[in-house]
Amino acid sequence: MAQTKALTGDGIAVTVSPMTEPYWQATRERRLVAAKCTHCAHFRVPFLPFCPKCNEQEVEWVELTGPGTLYSFTFYPHPQRESADDPTMLAPAIVEFAEAPGVRYAGNMIDIDTTRIAIGMKVETDWIFNGEGWGLPAFRPVS
Ligand SMILES: [Zn+2]
C-alpha cells in the first residue's frame, strides 16, 4: 500500500506571458481552462498564438469541469517524503477531457493508493498553489 501525494507548490516557478495569462488567472479561481479557436473550434493546448488548423488568432478560454479520464500515469518514491522508509509516492499523470477533444493536461494523482490507479478511471481536478497563488492541477478519483 503506497498512498500518492502531490508535490508542495512552494518551490514551483510559474512564468506568465500575456498569451498564457488567461489560463493562469483561471487557476487562481480553481478553474482548469483550455484555449479554443473561435473560428474552427480546435483546442490549442499547449497554447499557440495561431491555430494550427485554420491559422486564426482569436481564442475563447473554455472551462473543463470534467470529470477527466486518466490517459497515462507512472509513480515513484515521493521526493519530499519523510524518510527512505516512507511509502508515499508521487504519481505524475496525463488526463483527457471529453469536453475538449485532443486536450491532455499533466498533474499529480493525489489521495489514491497506487494499487487503485488505472488508466481510464474518472478523475476530478484539484489544485496545488505555489507561493504566488498560481494553481497547478492535480487529479483525484471521482468520489
Ligand atoms: Zn482554428
Side-chain angles (χ1 to χ4, degrees):
M1 302 290 269
Q3 193 73 10
T4 62
K5 185 176 94 174
L7 290 170
T8 60
D10 297 343
I12 299 175
V14 169
T15 301
V16 179
S17 73
M19 284 191 301
T20 61
E21 188 172 0
Y23 171 84
W24 290 110
Q25 288 296 342
T27 70
R28 290 180 171 278
E29 301 164 359
R30 306 177 73 88
R31 295 185 304 113
L32 185 63
V33 297
K36 181 180 183 182
C37 178
T38 56
H39 185 72
C40 76
H42 180 73
F43 280 93
R44 289 188 245 166
V45 175
F47 184 74
L48 301 167
F50 292 90
C51 178
K53 294 272 187 189
C54 74
N55 215 31
E56 292 291 325
Q57 285 186 280
E58 289 185 22
V59 295
E60 62 178 320
W61 292 87
V62 177
E63 184 172 357
L64 307 182
T65 57
T69 303
L70 185 61
Y71 175 79
S72 185
F73 70 96
T74 188
F75 56 84
Y76 47 85
H78 200 291
Q80 297 169 329
R81 65 192 189 281
E82 299 290 321
S83 70
D85 298 333
D86 183 342
T88 304
M89 295 284 167
L90 185 67
I94 304 294
V95 172
E96 296 180 313
F97 292 85
E99 58 214 305
V103 170
R104 293 178 182 151
Y105 273 111
N108 297 153
M109 281 294 290
I110 57 174
D111 298 336
I112 183 171
D113 189 279
T114 54
T115 61
R116 293 188 46 235
I117 303 175
I119 288 171
M121 72 187 305
K122 298 300 179 194
V123 298
E124 58 191 16
T125 305
D126 201 340
W127 295 94
I128 301 156
F129 293 95
N130 78 357
E132 298 173 319
W134 302 115
L136 304 164
F139 304 103
R140 68 174 70 246
V142 170
S143 51

